[in-house]
Every structure is written in C-alpha cells, then in structure tokens.
Amino acid sequence: MKISLVCSVCGASFSANEPLWRCECGGLLDVVHHPEFPIDRIMSRPQNMWRYREAIPLPLDSEIVSFDEGHTPLLDMRHNGVSFLTKLDFLFPTGSFKDRGASVLVSKAKSIGISGVIEDSSGNAGASLAAYCARACIRCKIFVPHSTSESKLEQISAFGAQLVRVHGSREDTAVQALKEAEAAYYASHSWNPFFIHGTKTVAYEICEQLKWNAPSAVVVPVGNGTLLLGVFIGFQEMCRAGLIKSIPRLVGVRSASFAPVANAWHGENIVAQFPESTTVAEGIAVERPVRSDQILNALKSTNGWLCLVSDDEIREAMRYLACNGILVEPTGAVSVAGFVKDTPRLMKERQVVVILTGSGLKDMAKVSRLLK
Ligand SMILES: Cc1ncc(COP(=O)(O)O)c(C=O)c1O
Ligand SMILES: [Zn+2]
C-alpha cells in the first residue's frame, strides 16, 4: 500500500511515515493512496469500520487501535410526511462520530512510534482522542475552550488526558495548541489528514447498508468540516472504484451565528443579521475552519448547498428526535434542523441520509434544559 502526504498549496510530497501534520510552506496536507474495495473480503469481516481495511491509509501490517467501532444503524424516519434515513453516528464508544477519526489517527501515530500527542477541541474530538490514546498507551494533552460542557471535560479527564482550559473562543484555543504543536505531534482533527480518512468510513457504511448504492443526498453538520470532507472523500473513492455511479449531493448545515463560511458560500454578508457568535451547538462553533476552501469545494462540486439554522431550529429538531426515541446533543441535531428547514428542496431527492453525530448522554443537563 503506497501512501504519501501531499501539500494542497505547493504540491510537495512527503512520506506518510514522517510525523507531519502540515507542510513546510504552512499548507494543509492531504493523504494520497489507492483505496481498494474487495467486496467478498469486506463482507467476511466483523461489522466495524475496519472491515474496509484496504481503503484505510495505513500499511496492512499496522497495529490498529480500535474498540470495534462503527457500522452504526441506518433508520427510516418521517417528518411532516417526508421520508428520510438517519445514520445514528453517535452510537460509538465515546458517544460521537469522532471515534472514527480518532481510531485512524491514533493508529497512525502509534505506527510511527509517537509517544505523546496534543489536540484542541470543542469537546468531542478531545474525548475521542483521549480514549484512543488511553487504549494505545500514548500521552495526550487536550486544549478546550472555557465554555465546553463540564461533562465533556470530565469525560476527557477520565481517560487520563491532560486538560488545558483556554479563556477564549474555539479559535483562540486552536492558536494556543498550535504554539505547543511546534514541539509535539499535533493530532488535530482539522489539520491532520488521517482523521478524515477515519470519518470517511461513514460513506462506505451508508453504501453497504443500501446494498452498495449511494443515496442522492446526504445532510451533515459542519464545524471544521471533518465529517463533510470525510463523506465527500469516501463517496469519491467508491465512485472511482466503480462501486457507485455518482456522488450524492452534500448539504452542509451550520449555525446561522457563524458568518465567514456562509458569507463565502453566498458571496455576500448574509449573516450580518446574526451578530452573536454563540450557539447551543458547541461542536460547530467554529468561526474560520482551516479547511474552508475544501468545504466549499465539496458542496459546490456535488451540487449541494450550505444551510444555516438558528438555535431555535436546533432545539426544535432535538425535540422531534427525542419524541421519536432518539436523544442527541444540540450539535447532533443540527443536520435534522437543516433537513426540516430545507425540506422543500430535499423532498425532490430520491433518497436522503441525515447524519446524527453526538449523543444526548454527553451532557444531559444541557439537553434537558433545551428540551423543556
Ligand atoms: C456532535 C458533533 N457533531 C458535529 C461536529 C462537527 O464536526 P466537524 O468539526 O468535523 O465539522 C462536531 C464537532 O465537534 C461534534 O462534536
Ligand atoms: Zn506546501
């Protein structure tokens, strides 16, 4: 399996065995490899995300850090008479889809002999990384914004990670982590491209669950875009391999309070009407995602779009889900809020998959408050 890291700015290429998370020119790195999908072998393996082993960019003899995660349910639902499918991608060991990315990223770190990592997070990626590092016996230091839910902080600490609370925004937290990243392996889910090669397995699973067919649209929450980009790469790879005919339309959902990505999408100052940079959906409270250009490209090239939702719409989506027996945290309900808002457009689709990303059990106090 030939795997390299290629800079998205200057095109420089590096061995995947180097502990790099960014190019010397400062550019984002992407993983280049040749995924394969030997269907018979895949189907003969246990139902977890590692059954797509030949499509995950780690040498086949690598030791994998895993809890047998993945193969989350795909359920039929209806809202106001319109059918859609929900992927319950919060049913993971730490309660969020981030475990997909952490499993691949920590496996990668272990395979190149890394003994300690740092990461910044709004909470869930930090919890995932802390859990997988604990399993791999790798030291872990997580920077979080001061506003992160107490229960998520407790989760991170419980796994033995060192926690650093930063007074400031999600961006301020990243800046502080970046300073330390000069001297450590930066296991950042937004910078480090191996994370996305874990989140992409959700696209493989959706296709397998649809008998190796792609849906016509997929709705995902977008903060730093690791899920959206993973979904995009996953469908692209299956399309290139001839497993599916086309890539679904991707619809990204963001909080209306976080302007820059939305302004770039609409080409105007569309969110000036929402001056508050706060949202109940802490997982997507990201002002300027480092992969913004890639996010916009994924939406454009699939003929998808960006949907903006308010906190009230997110709360309404949480209530609808809870009434249907599904308890998610606010960020986990963002995609459903987007589906509800854009139903007039989405109901024209042949089949829509809406991805739910974070368990309500992560922060029951907040969830109960919002459901009232
Ligand atoms: C529950 C949940 N959903 C969605 C997201 C957004 O993911 P991304 O930042 O990769 O776009 C996050 C990020 O923290 C999250 O915690
Ligand atoms: Zn470069």
Side-chain angles (χ1 to χ4, degrees):
M1 201 186 258
K2 188 172 179 307
I3 307 159
S4 47
L5 292 168
V6 175
C7 174
S8 58
V9 176
C10 73
S13 178
F14 305 91
S15 156
N17 289 332
E18 290 186 46
L20 292 174
W21 54 271
R22 143 172 104 174
C23 178
E24 287 148 5
C25 80
L28 284 163
L29 293 172
D30 292 315
V31 175
V32 174
H33 73 133
H34 298 284
E36 289 171 12
F37 300 89
I39 301 288
D40 289 345
R41 235 180 293 165
I42 291 171
M43 304 293 275
S44 70
R45 292 180 180 140
Q47 289 201 329
N48 63 47
M49 62 174 258
W50 286 95
R51 73 201 314 233
Y52 312 103
R53 184 63 190 87
E54 293 80 1
I56 298 179
L58 283 178
L60 288 176
D61 57 1
S62 295
E63 212 179 308
I64 291 167
V65 184
S66 166
F67 294 98
D68 263 2
E69 58 291 291
H71 247 268
T72 54
L74 188 66
L75 298 184
D76 277 320
M77 289 191 80
R78 278 175 95 72
H79 184 275
N80 283 345
V82 182
S83 300
F84 62 102
L85 294 165
T86 38
K87 179 83 169 149
L88 305 191
D89 231 40
F90 57 91
L91 296 179
F92 275 95
T94 77
S96 89
F97 79 97
K98 304 268 183 182
D99 288 358
R100 293 187 188 274
S103 183
V104 173
L105 181 46
V106 176
S107 298
K108 173 70 209 170
K110 187 164 184 180
S111 76
I112 56 173
I114 300 288
S115 56
V117 304
I118 67 163
E119 152 81 312
D120 52 273
S121 162
S122 64
N124 287 340
S128 290
L129 209 75
Y132 284 79
C133 281
R135 185 149 171 84
C137 297
I138 290 177
R139 271 179 293 104
C140 180
K141 185 170 179 180
I142 310 282
F143 292 77
V144 288
H146 216 260
S147 57
T148 301
S149 298
E150 274 311 315
S151 55
K152 290 188 184 174
L153 302 182
E154 280 163 18
Q155 191 185 11
I156 294 170
S157 300
F159 295 130
Q162 184 187 346
L163 198 60
V164 184
R165 292 179 85 163
V166 176
H167 282 275
S169 68
R170 178 66 187 82
E171 265 73 15
D172 300 330
T173 310
V175 168
Q176 191 149 332
L178 262 168
K179 279 189 202 140
E180 292 217 13
E182 304 298 330
Y185 187 67
Y186 190 28
S188 159
H189 56 292
S190 23
W191 278 98
N192 198 307
F194 285 96
F195 194 90
I196 296 172
H197 285 265
T199 59
K200 73 179 182 182
T201 55
V202 69
Y204 304 162
E205 288 178 17
I206 291 170
C207 285
E208 184 182 338
Q209 287 165 316
L210 297 175
K211 304 201 168 19
W212 301 106
N213 292 302
S216 59
V218 180
V219 185
V220 298
V222 179
N224 276 305
T226 66
L227 181 59
L228 178 83
L229 294 173
V231 167
F232 183 48
I233 291 174
F235 282 116
Q236 263 182 333
E237 290 175 346
M238 279 185 293
C239 205
R240 282 192 200 120
L243 268 178
I244 57 171
K245 292 193 188 71
S246 59
I247 301 173
R249 198 188 294 285
L250 299 183
V251 177
V253 190
R254 283 188 54 92
S255 161
S257 311
F258 286 79
V261 176
N263 289 340
W265 175 256
H266 291 279
E268 57 186 295
N269 197 14
I270 186 121
V271 281
Q273 4 157 7
F274 302 97
E276 294 277 292
S277 273
T278 60
T279 170
V280 289
E282 61 190 18
I284 55 166
V286 183
E287 196 69 35
R288 290 170 206 283
V290 293
R291 294 186 184 268
S292 288
D293 291 347
Q294 293 182 345
I295 292 171
L296 295 174
N297 172 56
L299 299 176
K300 276 193 191 127
S301 61
T302 61
N303 292 319
W305 64 84
L306 190 75
C307 169
L308 299 179
V309 292
S310 67
D311 278 6
D312 280 348
E313 288 163 335
I314 294 171
R315 196 180 307 193
E316 212 35 63
M318 287 173 73
R319 287 200 192 105
Y320 156 77
L321 286 165
C323 289
N324 283 276
I326 298 175
L327 201 63
V328 290
E329 63 168 302
T331 316
V334 161
S335 52
V336 170
F339 176 80
V340 171
K341 184 156 197 171
D342 282 346
T343 297
R345 289 167 96 178
L346 285 164
M347 67 193 290
K348 297 180 194 137
E349 294 293 333
R350 174 178 48 81
Q351 190 172 44
V352 180
V353 173
V354 179
I355 305 185
L356 307 184
T357 51
S359 167
L361 301 177
K362 284 258 179 188
D363 187 354
M364 269 316 292
K366 185 172 181 183
V367 168
S368 312
R369 208 169 52 243
L370 292 169
L371 288 178
K372 278 195 189 117

